[in-house]
Amino acid sequence: MKTRASDQTFGALLISPAGAFVFCIAIYPIARVLWLSFFAQNLATSLQPKFVKIDNYIRLANDGHFFATLRTTLFFTFVSVVIELVLGLAFALLLNQRFRGRAIARAAMLVTWALPTAVLAWAWSWIFNDQFGVMNDLLHRVGILARPIAWLGSGSTALFAVIFADVWKTAPFVMIILLAGLQNVSGELHEAAAIDGANSWKRFRFVTLPLLMPSIMVALLFRAIQSFGIFDLIFVMTGGGPGGATETLAIYTYNTYLRYLDFGYGSAMIVTSFLLMALCATLLYWPLSRTRGAQFATE
Amino acid sequence: MKRVSFYALVWLVVLWCLAPFLWQIVTSLKTNAEIAALPVTYIPRHAGLEHYDALFTRKPFARYLLNSFVISGTSTILCVGLSALAAYAVSRLRMRGSRLMLAALVVISLFPPIIFFFPLYEMMRAAGLLNHPLALIIPYTTFNLPFSIIVLATFFRGVPRDIEDAAKVDGLGRLQILWRIILPLSTPALATTAILVFIFAWNEFLFALTFMTNDRAKTITAGIATLSGTTVHETPWGPIAAAVVVSTIPLILLVAIFQRRIVQGLIAGAAKG
């Protein structure tokens, strides 16, 4: 038998190449951002770093625009994730049935998930185009709209449009996770409940849903975190406009770095919004780890 | 009746999923005059491939495609190779701290790319790699490592230990066991992981947008963003639609062929997350 120590050495050897990549390309940048956040490095300092202690954070605490983008981000995240979960659950329940053409339906959803967001964002800006967009045309044809709406031209409709596109793009991801969860729900429990006289809604509510909770929490956590960092969809569809109505934290941070060349301040923005995100994720993860712990206690 | 409405619902869902893409196909086949004509037409009256032609003659679109293939392909090979080694260590060797390491990887994989893009930009500039494929290959490899290590480790755990023990008795070294026993047995898992990493790399936008400023260095996602017309108000919807269609065809093929694999891989990655 090989000894524990040689396992350790051999293992370290196998991990080290991947470890080196993760250290240099993922961990070092985090440290670098943290470091930069205590410096002023912008056009006023001729892009030279100058140590300013916590001035960037003080400036951030008084930056109304930062809080406006934070509100937009939270609103976007909350609304889109809730709709995605409901729609994704509906898709999963549908695909959990046996029917002819199920493979085609699943492939259609998978295609939606696999396509590049930055590219499909163009498709959505064309759909929501004010003059020649198909959304206006369809709504006009069925008699909902009397005159075309400039969807991406005014604040509230633009936010609605990007949420709409985000829901379309990511509900299939939720579906995949929940479908896997559904397939672990045993038919026996359903039969037992049916014999006890539970109708299909009651069986869903008291058998399926509780057993599906761990999967729902996983999907929720993934989607909430990705939504919070949303960049590509909004960058292409509205660029954060009109008038900052769809400007999320990631867009504001991007502009602070590359448009205003304010590297220290941008870094403080990242550290702050990241800590907020970690806090939210922990609050979400706490119940998640408890439900999972119960389910996988035998593992 | 119930059956009919069920199938109506199914087809409605399929249409909902594919509609934006189908609309791009329709748009890409229309002439410029028809694109900007009212009322909107749903079947092109004079279908033609002029916008596709324009992509390849007026823009280095073939170059974008090539860049995307080279960058995504190289990242995939590198990433899966490095992950296989690490996943073997994590799943099969008795190592202290491997659980903690996996947890750290999960956390890192959840970070949005906006956190990393500026320090990475500085690094790539300092190394003279801006506009070089490596500027994207290196981060794409790295940021897909956590996901692939987790997926592969899950699969490696499923390979029976007896086989490994028998190989040990036959006198195979440990690297040989990994290379000749574990990896061949895990071909489906390696393929699954590779497909997913390729999709993630192909779709990445933020790094591609900021690290590749030279038109000939751009990947598809960043390239389409710069197709915009001569003035700000003149967006060339025809060529953009054609570009959307062309750049998504490789992904649609991947999904069509490897549906099952993709679903399994995503579930393995998410369940352990």
PDB file of all heavy atoms in Angstrom, chain B residues 4-36:
ATOM      1  N   VAL B   4     -55.277  17.720 -27.274  1.00  0.00           N
ATOM      2  CA  VAL B   4     -55.015  18.762 -28.254  1.00  0.00           C
ATOM      3  C   VAL B   4     -54.448  20.003 -27.571  1.00  0.00           C
ATOM      4  O   VAL B   4     -53.448  20.569 -28.000  1.00  0.00           O
ATOM      5  CB  VAL B   4     -56.308  19.103 -29.034  1.00  0.00           C
ATOM      6  CG1 VAL B   4     -56.088  20.335 -29.904  1.00  0.00           C
ATOM      7  CG2 VAL B   4     -56.743  17.916 -29.864  1.00  0.00           C
ATOM      8  N   SER B   5     -55.056  20.383 -26.458  1.00  0.00           N
ATOM      9  CA  SER B   5     -54.567  21.596 -25.790  1.00  0.00           C
ATOM     10  C   SER B   5     -53.180  21.369 -25.197  1.00  0.00           C
ATOM     11  O   SER B   5     -52.351  22.277 -25.148  1.00  0.00           O
ATOM     12  CB  SER B   5     -55.555  22.062 -24.725  1.00  0.00           C
ATOM     13  OG  SER B   5     -55.808  21.026 -23.826  1.00  0.00           O
ATOM     14  N   PHE B   6     -52.905  20.131 -24.787  1.00  0.00           N
ATOM     15  CA  PHE B   6     -51.564  19.825 -24.276  1.00  0.00           C
ATOM     16  C   PHE B   6     -50.512  20.031 -25.366  1.00  0.00           C
ATOM     17  O   PHE B   6     -49.501  20.700 -25.161  1.00  0.00           O
ATOM     18  CB  PHE B   6     -51.518  18.385 -23.760  1.00  0.00           C
ATOM     19  CG  PHE B   6     -50.164  17.976 -23.258  1.00  0.00           C
ATOM     20  CD1 PHE B   6     -49.735  18.366 -22.003  1.00  0.00           C
ATOM     21  CD2 PHE B   6     -49.303  17.217 -24.050  1.00  0.00           C
ATOM     22  CE1 PHE B   6     -48.485  18.007 -21.534  1.00  0.00           C
ATOM     23  CE2 PHE B   6     -48.040  16.855 -23.586  1.00  0.00           C
ATOM     24  CZ  PHE B   6     -47.646  17.258 -22.331  1.00  0.00           C
ATOM     25  N   TYR B   7     -50.813  19.478 -26.563  1.00  0.00           N
ATOM     26  CA  TYR B   7     -49.843  19.636 -27.651  1.00  0.00           C
ATOM     27  C   TYR B   7     -49.749  21.073 -28.123  1.00  0.00           C
ATOM     28  O   TYR B   7     -48.668  21.545 -28.509  1.00  0.00           O
ATOM     29  CB  TYR B   7     -50.180  18.680 -28.802  1.00  0.00           C
ATOM     30  CG  TYR B   7     -49.570  17.330 -28.546  1.00  0.00           C
ATOM     31  CD1 TYR B   7     -50.317  16.287 -28.021  1.00  0.00           C
ATOM     32  CD2 TYR B   7     -48.210  17.125 -28.767  1.00  0.00           C
ATOM     33  CE1 TYR B   7     -49.746  15.073 -27.725  1.00  0.00           C
ATOM     34  CE2 TYR B   7     -47.631  15.908 -28.482  1.00  0.00           C
ATOM     35  CZ  TYR B   7     -48.394  14.886 -27.962  1.00  0.00           C
ATOM     36  OH  TYR B   7     -47.805  13.695 -27.670  1.00  0.00           O
ATOM     37  N   ALA B   8     -50.861  21.791 -28.063  1.00  0.00           N
ATOM     38  CA  ALA B   8     -50.820  23.215 -28.407  1.00  0.00           C
ATOM     39  C   ALA B   8     -49.856  23.933 -27.469  1.00  0.00           C
ATOM     40  O   ALA B   8     -49.040  24.757 -27.889  1.00  0.00           O
ATOM     41  CB  ALA B   8     -52.217  23.810 -28.312  1.00  0.00           C
ATOM     42  N   LEU B   9     -49.920  23.578 -26.200  1.00  0.00           N
ATOM     43  CA  LEU B   9     -49.042  24.196 -25.202  1.00  0.00           C
ATOM     44  C   LEU B   9     -47.585  23.868 -25.503  1.00  0.00           C
ATOM     45  O   LEU B   9     -46.710  24.756 -25.477  1.00  0.00           O
ATOM     46  CB  LEU B   9     -49.431  23.682 -23.808  1.00  0.00           C
ATOM     47  CG  LEU B   9     -48.671  24.290 -22.636  1.00  0.00           C
ATOM     48  CD1 LEU B   9     -49.064  25.747 -22.463  1.00  0.00           C
ATOM     49  CD2 LEU B   9     -48.943  23.521 -21.353  1.00  0.00           C
ATOM     50  N   VAL B  10     -47.324  22.589 -25.824  1.00  0.00           N
ATOM     51  CA  VAL B  10     -45.950  22.177 -26.128  1.00  0.00           C
ATOM     52  C   VAL B  10     -45.394  22.990 -27.297  1.00  0.00           C
ATOM     53  O   VAL B  10     -44.285  23.527 -27.233  1.00  0.00           O
ATOM     54  CB  VAL B  10     -45.890  20.672 -26.447  1.00  0.00           C
ATOM     55  CG1 VAL B  10     -44.524  20.301 -27.016  1.00  0.00           C
ATOM     56  CG2 VAL B  10     -46.184  19.858 -25.202  1.00  0.00           C
ATOM     57  N   TRP B  11     -46.197  23.107 -28.373  1.00  0.00           N
ATOM     58  CA  TRP B  11     -45.697  23.829 -29.538  1.00  0.00           C
ATOM     59  C   TRP B  11     -45.549  25.316 -29.282  1.00  0.00           C
ATOM     60  O   TRP B  11     -44.645  25.967 -29.828  1.00  0.00           O
ATOM     61  CB  TRP B  11     -46.576  23.553 -30.762  1.00  0.00           C
ATOM     62  CG  TRP B  11     -46.314  22.166 -31.252  1.00  0.00           C
ATOM     63  CD1 TRP B  11     -47.157  21.112 -31.198  1.00  0.00           C
ATOM     64  CD2 TRP B  11     -45.070  21.667 -31.778  1.00  0.00           C
ATOM     65  NE1 TRP B  11     -46.539  19.978 -31.662  1.00  0.00           N
ATOM     66  CE2 TRP B  11     -45.249  20.282 -32.036  1.00  0.00           C
ATOM     67  CE3 TRP B  11     -43.825  22.239 -32.053  1.00  0.00           C
ATOM     68  CZ2 TRP B  11     -44.246  19.472 -32.556  1.00  0.00           C
ATOM     69  CZ3 TRP B  11     -42.816  21.438 -32.568  1.00  0.00           C
ATOM     70  CH2 TRP B  11     -43.030  20.081 -32.809  1.00  0.00           C
ATOM     71  N   LEU B  12     -46.395  25.833 -28.403  1.00  0.00           N
ATOM     72  CA  LEU B  12     -46.268  27.232 -28.018  1.00  0.00           C
ATOM     73  C   LEU B  12     -44.926  27.461 -27.313  1.00  0.00           C
ATOM     74  O   LEU B  12     -44.225  28.429 -27.577  1.00  0.00           O
ATOM     75  CB  LEU B  12     -47.435  27.601 -27.092  1.00  0.00           C
ATOM     76  CG  LEU B  12     -47.684  29.087 -26.921  1.00  0.00           C
ATOM     77  CD1 LEU B  12     -48.241  29.657 -28.217  1.00  0.00           C
ATOM     78  CD2 LEU B  12     -48.640  29.342 -25.765  1.00  0.00           C
ATOM     79  N   VAL B  13     -44.573  26.519 -26.426  1.00  0.00           N
ATOM     80  CA  VAL B  13     -43.301  26.640 -25.699  1.00  0.00           C
ATOM     81  C   VAL B  13     -42.122  26.543 -26.674  1.00  0.00           C
ATOM     82  O   VAL B  13     -41.174  27.323 -26.599  1.00  0.00           O
ATOM     83  CB  VAL B  13     -43.208  25.543 -24.608  1.00  0.00           C
ATOM     84  CG1 VAL B  13     -41.798  25.488 -24.036  1.00  0.00           C
ATOM     85  CG2 VAL B  13     -44.210  25.810 -23.507  1.00  0.00           C
ATOM     86  N   VAL B  14     -42.198  25.595 -27.612  1.00  0.00           N
ATOM     87  CA  VAL B  14     -41.117  25.453 -28.599  1.00  0.00           C
ATOM     88  C   VAL B  14     -40.989  26.738 -29.425  1.00  0.00           C
ATOM     89  O   VAL B  14     -39.889  27.241 -29.650  1.00  0.00           O
ATOM     90  CB  VAL B  14     -41.381  24.236 -29.521  1.00  0.00           C
ATOM     91  CG1 VAL B  14     -40.380  24.205 -30.673  1.00  0.00           C
ATOM     92  CG2 VAL B  14     -41.294  22.951 -28.720  1.00  0.00           C
ATOM     93  N   LEU B  15     -42.131  27.290 -29.814  1.00  0.00           N
ATOM     94  CA  LEU B  15     -42.118  28.520 -30.608  1.00  0.00           C
ATOM     95  C   LEU B  15     -41.515  29.679 -29.808  1.00  0.00           C
ATOM     96  O   LEU B  15     -40.694  30.445 -30.310  1.00  0.00           O
ATOM     97  CB  LEU B  15     -43.548  28.863 -31.039  1.00  0.00           C
ATOM     98  CG  LEU B  15     -43.652  30.049 -32.000  1.00  0.00           C
ATOM     99  CD1 LEU B  15     -43.031  29.687 -33.340  1.00  0.00           C
ATOM    100  CD2 LEU B  15     -45.100  30.469 -32.189  1.00  0.00           C
ATOM    101  N   TRP B  16     -41.901  29.777 -28.549  1.00  0.00           N
ATOM    102  CA  TRP B  16     -41.377  30.822 -27.655  1.00  0.00           C
ATOM    103  C   TRP B  16     -39.848  30.739 -27.586  1.00  0.00           C
ATOM    104  O   TRP B  16     -39.153  31.751 -27.642  1.00  0.00           O
ATOM    105  CB  TRP B  16     -42.010  30.650 -26.268  1.00  0.00           C
ATOM    106  CG  TRP B  16     -41.231  31.187 -25.114  1.00  0.00           C
ATOM    107  CD1 TRP B  16     -40.383  30.499 -24.305  1.00  0.00           C
ATOM    108  CD2 TRP B  16     -41.232  32.538 -24.622  1.00  0.00           C
ATOM    109  NE1 TRP B  16     -39.864  31.315 -23.351  1.00  0.00           N
ATOM    110  CE2 TRP B  16     -40.364  32.572 -23.510  1.00  0.00           C
ATOM    111  CE3 TRP B  16     -41.879  33.711 -25.004  1.00  0.00           C
ATOM    112  CZ2 TRP B  16     -40.121  33.737 -22.786  1.00  0.00           C
ATOM    113  CZ3 TRP B  16     -41.630  34.876 -24.270  1.00  0.00           C
ATOM    114  CH2 TRP B  16     -40.771  34.877 -23.181  1.00  0.00           C
ATOM    115  N   CYS B  17     -39.331  29.509 -27.479  1.00  0.00           N
ATOM    116  CA  CYS B  17     -37.884  29.329 -27.348  1.00  0.00           C
ATOM    117  C   CYS B  17     -37.155  29.693 -28.639  1.00  0.00           C
ATOM    118  O   CYS B  17     -36.068  30.264 -28.603  1.00  0.00           O
ATOM    119  CB  CYS B  17     -37.554  27.886 -26.984  1.00  0.00           C
ATOM    120  SG  CYS B  17     -37.978  27.476 -25.296  1.00  0.00           S
ATOM    121  N   LEU B  18     -37.743  29.346 -29.779  1.00  0.00           N
ATOM    122  CA  LEU B  18     -37.016  29.509 -31.030  1.00  0.00           C
ATOM    123  C   LEU B  18     -37.340  30.822 -31.756  1.00  0.00           C
ATOM    124  O   LEU B  18     -36.603  31.226 -32.655  1.00  0.00           O
ATOM    125  CB  LEU B  18     -37.302  28.324 -31.962  1.00  0.00           C
ATOM    126  CG  LEU B  18     -36.858  26.960 -31.425  1.00  0.00           C
ATOM    127  CD1 LEU B  18     -37.153  25.874 -32.443  1.00  0.00           C
ATOM    128  CD2 LEU B  18     -35.364  26.959 -31.087  1.00  0.00           C
ATOM    129  N   ALA B  19     -38.450  31.487 -31.360  1.00  0.00           N
ATOM    130  CA  ALA B  19     -38.919  32.645 -32.116  1.00  0.00           C
ATOM    131  C   ALA B  19     -37.861  33.733 -32.358  1.00  0.00           C
ATOM    132  O   ALA B  19     -37.676  34.154 -33.509  1.00  0.00           O
ATOM    133  CB  ALA B  19     -40.159  33.232 -31.453  1.00  0.00           C
ATOM    134  N   PRO B  20     -37.137  34.183 -31.330  1.00  0.00           N
ATOM    135  CA  PRO B  20     -36.166  35.256 -31.587  1.00  0.00           C
ATOM    136  C   PRO B  20     -35.125  34.856 -32.634  1.00  0.00           C
ATOM    137  O   PRO B  20     -34.724  35.659 -33.471  1.00  0.00           O
ATOM    138  CB  PRO B  20     -35.506  35.472 -30.230  1.00  0.00           C
ATOM    139  CG  PRO B  20     -36.499  34.973 -29.250  1.00  0.00           C
ATOM    140  CD  PRO B  20     -37.186  33.822 -29.911  1.00  0.00           C
ATOM    141  N   PHE B  21     -34.737  33.572 -32.570  1.00  0.00           N
ATOM    142  CA  PHE B  21     -33.744  33.102 -33.521  1.00  0.00           C
ATOM    143  C   PHE B  21     -34.338  32.983 -34.925  1.00  0.00           C
ATOM    144  O   PHE B  21     -33.727  33.401 -35.914  1.00  0.00           O
ATOM    145  CB  PHE B  21     -33.184  31.753 -33.041  1.00  0.00           C
ATOM    146  CG  PHE B  21     -32.151  31.199 -33.945  1.00  0.00           C
ATOM    147  CD1 PHE B  21     -30.906  31.802 -34.032  1.00  0.00           C
ATOM    148  CD2 PHE B  21     -32.420  30.092 -34.726  1.00  0.00           C
ATOM    149  CE1 PHE B  21     -29.956  31.304 -34.884  1.00  0.00           C
ATOM    150  CE2 PHE B  21     -31.466  29.591 -35.579  1.00  0.00           C
ATOM    151  CZ  PHE B  21     -30.230  30.190 -35.662  1.00  0.00           C
ATOM    152  N   LEU B  22     -35.561  32.421 -35.010  1.00  0.00           N
ATOM    153  CA  LEU B  22     -36.227  32.296 -36.315  1.00  0.00           C
ATOM    154  C   LEU B  22     -36.425  33.674 -36.944  1.00  0.00           C
ATOM    155  O   LEU B  22     -36.264  33.856 -38.154  1.00  0.00           O
ATOM    156  CB  LEU B  22     -37.588  31.597 -36.158  1.00  0.00           C
ATOM    157  CG  LEU B  22     -37.525  30.139 -35.706  1.00  0.00           C
ATOM    158  CD1 LEU B  22     -38.923  29.587 -35.478  1.00  0.00           C
ATOM    159  CD2 LEU B  22     -36.777  29.289 -36.734  1.00  0.00           C
ATOM    160  N   TRP B  23     -36.744  34.659 -36.096  1.00  0.00           N
ATOM    161  CA  TRP B  23     -36.948  36.015 -36.611  1.00  0.00           C
ATOM    162  C   TRP B  23     -35.651  36.585 -37.209  1.00  0.00           C
ATOM    163  O   TRP B  23     -35.670  37.347 -38.161  1.00  0.00           O
ATOM    164  CB  TRP B  23     -37.502  36.914 -35.508  1.00  0.00           C
ATOM    165  CG  TRP B  23     -37.911  38.248 -36.005  1.00  0.00           C
ATOM    166  CD1 TRP B  23     -37.461  39.453 -35.575  1.00  0.00           C
ATOM    167  CD2 TRP B  23     -38.853  38.529 -37.055  1.00  0.00           C
ATOM    168  NE1 TRP B  23     -38.052  40.465 -36.279  1.00  0.00           N
ATOM    169  CE2 TRP B  23     -38.915  39.922 -37.201  1.00  0.00           C
ATOM    170  CE3 TRP B  23     -39.633  37.729 -37.891  1.00  0.00           C
ATOM    171  CZ2 TRP B  23     -39.722  40.539 -38.148  1.00  0.00           C
ATOM    172  CZ3 TRP B  23     -40.441  38.344 -38.837  1.00  0.00           C
ATOM    173  CH2 TRP B  23     -40.475  39.730 -38.947  1.00  0.00           C
ATOM    174  N   GLN B  24     -34.513  36.201 -36.616  1.00  0.00           N
ATOM    175  CA  GLN B  24     -33.222  36.633 -37.176  1.00  0.00           C
ATOM    176  C   GLN B  24     -32.990  35.996 -38.538  1.00  0.00           C
ATOM    177  O   GLN B  24     -32.464  36.626 -39.444  1.00  0.00           O
ATOM    178  CB  GLN B  24     -32.074  36.248 -36.230  1.00  0.00           C
ATOM    179  CG  GLN B  24     -32.037  37.038 -34.955  1.00  0.00           C
ATOM    180  CD  GLN B  24     -31.746  38.499 -35.199  1.00  0.00           C
ATOM    181  OE1 GLN B  24     -30.673  38.877 -35.635  1.00  0.00           O
ATOM    182  NE2 GLN B  24     -32.732  39.344 -34.934  1.00  0.00           N
ATOM    183  N   ILE B  25     -33.400  34.731 -38.698  1.00  0.00           N
ATOM    184  CA  ILE B  25     -33.243  34.076 -40.002  1.00  0.00           C
ATOM    185  C   ILE B  25     -34.085  34.815 -41.039  1.00  0.00           C
ATOM    186  O   ILE B  25     -33.593  35.170 -42.118  1.00  0.00           O
ATOM    187  CB  ILE B  25     -33.675  32.581 -39.925  1.00  0.00           C
ATOM    188  CG1 ILE B  25     -32.774  31.834 -38.941  1.00  0.00           C
ATOM    189  CG2 ILE B  25     -33.611  31.937 -41.310  1.00  0.00           C
ATOM    190  CD1 ILE B  25     -33.089  30.355 -38.831  1.00  0.00           C
ATOM    191  N   VAL B  26     -35.351  35.084 -40.693  1.00  0.00           N
ATOM    192  CA  VAL B  26     -36.231  35.793 -41.617  1.00  0.00           C
ATOM    193  C   VAL B  26     -35.623  37.149 -41.983  1.00  0.00           C
ATOM    194  O   VAL B  26     -35.513  37.506 -43.161  1.00  0.00           O
ATOM    195  CB  VAL B  26     -37.638  35.980 -40.988  1.00  0.00           C
ATOM    196  CG1 VAL B  26     -38.482  36.912 -41.830  1.00  0.00           C
ATOM    197  CG2 VAL B  26     -38.324  34.641 -40.837  1.00  0.00           C
ATOM    198  N   THR B  27     -35.196  37.905 -40.982  1.00  0.00           N
ATOM    199  CA  THR B  27     -34.631  39.232 -41.220  1.00  0.00           C
ATOM    200  C   THR B  27     -33.394  39.155 -42.103  1.00  0.00           C
ATOM    201  O   THR B  27     -33.202  39.978 -43.007  1.00  0.00           O
ATOM    202  CB  THR B  27     -34.261  39.900 -39.881  1.00  0.00           C
ATOM    203  OG1 THR B  27     -35.405  39.885 -39.040  1.00  0.00           O
ATOM    204  CG2 THR B  27     -33.791  41.322 -40.079  1.00  0.00           C
ATOM    205  N   SER B  28     -32.555  38.140 -41.848  1.00  0.00           N
ATOM    206  CA  SER B  28     -31.289  38.065 -42.578  1.00  0.00           C
ATOM    207  C   SER B  28     -31.510  37.796 -44.067  1.00  0.00           C
ATOM    208  O   SER B  28     -30.635  38.073 -44.882  1.00  0.00           O
ATOM    209  CB  SER B  28     -30.408  36.968 -41.980  1.00  0.00           C
ATOM    210  OG  SER B  28     -30.929  35.696 -42.300  1.00  0.00           O
ATOM    211  N   LEU B  29     -32.686  37.231 -44.407  1.00  0.00           N
ATOM    212  CA  LEU B  29     -32.948  36.901 -45.813  1.00  0.00           C
ATOM    213  C   LEU B  29     -33.625  38.049 -46.567  1.00  0.00           C
ATOM    214  O   LEU B  29     -33.721  38.031 -47.794  1.00  0.00           O
ATOM    215  CB  LEU B  29     -33.831  35.642 -45.902  1.00  0.00           C
ATOM    216  CG  LEU B  29     -33.187  34.354 -45.364  1.00  0.00           C
ATOM    217  CD1 LEU B  29     -34.192  33.224 -45.338  1.00  0.00           C
ATOM    218  CD2 LEU B  29     -31.971  33.968 -46.203  1.00  0.00           C
ATOM    219  N   LYS B  30     -34.093  39.062 -45.836  1.00  0.00           N
ATOM    220  CA  LYS B  30     -34.800  40.175 -46.478  1.00  0.00           C
ATOM    221  C   LYS B  30     -33.814  41.161 -47.096  1.00  0.00           C
ATOM    222  O   LYS B  30     -32.657  41.247 -46.671  1.00  0.00           O
ATOM    223  CB  LYS B  30     -35.632  40.932 -45.441  1.00  0.00           C
ATOM    224  CG  LYS B  30     -36.851  40.196 -44.948  1.00  0.00           C
ATOM    225  CD  LYS B  30     -37.558  41.075 -43.930  1.00  0.00           C
ATOM    226  CE  LYS B  30     -38.784  40.406 -43.343  1.00  0.00           C
ATOM    227  NZ  LYS B  30     -39.403  41.251 -42.313  1.00  0.00           N
ATOM    228  N   THR B  31     -34.323  41.938 -48.062  1.00  0.00           N
ATOM    229  CA  THR B  31     -33.505  43.031 -48.586  1.00  0.00           C
ATOM    230  C   THR B  31     -33.581  44.199 -47.606  1.00  0.00           C
ATOM    231  O   THR B  31     -34.487  44.252 -46.766  1.00  0.00           O
ATOM    232  CB  THR B  31     -34.041  43.511 -49.938  1.00  0.00           C
ATOM    233  OG1 THR B  31     -35.404  43.920 -49.741  1.00  0.00           O
ATOM    234  CG2 THR B  31     -33.982  42.411 -50.982  1.00  0.00           C
ATOM    235  N   ASN B  32     -32.638  45.131 -47.718  1.00  0.00           N
ATOM    236  CA  ASN B  32     -32.653  46.291 -46.833  1.00  0.00           C
ATOM    237  C   ASN B  32     -33.969  47.041 -46.915  1.00  0.00           C
ATOM    238  O   ASN B  32     -34.490  47.519 -45.909  1.00  0.00           O
ATOM    239  CB  ASN B  32     -31.498  47.238 -47.167  1.00  0.00           C
ATOM    240  CG  ASN B  32     -30.233  46.826 -46.438  1.00  0.00           C
ATOM    241  OD1 ASN B  32     -30.304  46.300 -45.329  1.00  0.00           O
ATOM    242  ND2 ASN B  32     -29.090  47.039 -47.067  1.00  0.00           N
ATOM    243  N   ALA B  33     -34.513  47.137 -48.149  1.00  0.00           N
ATOM    244  CA  ALA B  33     -35.768  47.857 -48.338  1.00  0.00           C
ATOM    245  C   ALA B  33     -36.903  47.177 -47.577  1.00  0.00           C
ATOM    246  O   ALA B  33     -37.713  47.834 -46.928  1.00  0.00           O
ATOM    247  CB  ALA B  33     -36.106  47.931 -49.822  1.00  0.00           C
ATOM    248  N   GLU B  34     -36.897  45.837 -47.610  1.00  0.00           N
ATOM    249  CA  GLU B  34     -37.984  45.121 -46.945  1.00  0.00           C
ATOM    250  C   GLU B  34     -37.831  45.149 -45.427  1.00  0.00           C
ATOM    251  O   GLU B  34     -38.827  45.153 -44.695  1.00  0.00           O
ATOM    252  CB  GLU B  34     -38.037  43.674 -47.460  1.00  0.00           C
ATOM    253  CG  GLU B  34     -39.369  43.001 -47.153  1.00  0.00           C
ATOM    254  CD  GLU B  34     -39.458  41.591 -47.721  1.00  0.00           C
ATOM    255  OE1 GLU B  34     -38.579  41.208 -48.508  1.00  0.00           O
ATOM    256  OE2 GLU B  34     -40.414  40.895 -47.361  1.00  0.00           O
ATOM    257  N   ILE B  35     -36.572  45.182 -44.957  1.00  0.00           N
ATOM    258  CA  ILE B  35     -36.346  45.258 -43.507  1.00  0.00           C
ATOM    259  C   ILE B  35     -36.943  46.551 -42.953  1.00  0.00           C
ATOM    260  O   ILE B  35     -37.555  46.563 -41.890  1.00  0.00           O
ATOM    261  CB  ILE B  35     -34.824  45.183 -43.197  1.00  0.00           C
ATOM    262  CG1 ILE B  35     -34.338  43.753 -43.403  1.00  0.00           C
ATOM    263  CG2 ILE B  35     -34.539  45.648 -41.778  1.00  0.00           C
ATOM    264  CD1 ILE B  35     -32.843  43.599 -43.257  1.00  0.00           C
ATOM    265  N   ALA B  36     -36.798  47.629 -43.721  1.00  0.00           N
ATOM    266  CA  ALA B  36     -37.290  48.937 -43.272  1.00  0.00           C
ATOM    267  C   ALA B  36     -38.624  49.263 -43.928  1.00  0.00           C
ATOM    268  O   ALA B  36     -38.879  50.415 -44.251  1.00  0.00           O
ATOM    269  CB  ALA B  36     -36.255  50.004 -43.584  1.00  0.00           C
TER     270      ALA B  36
END
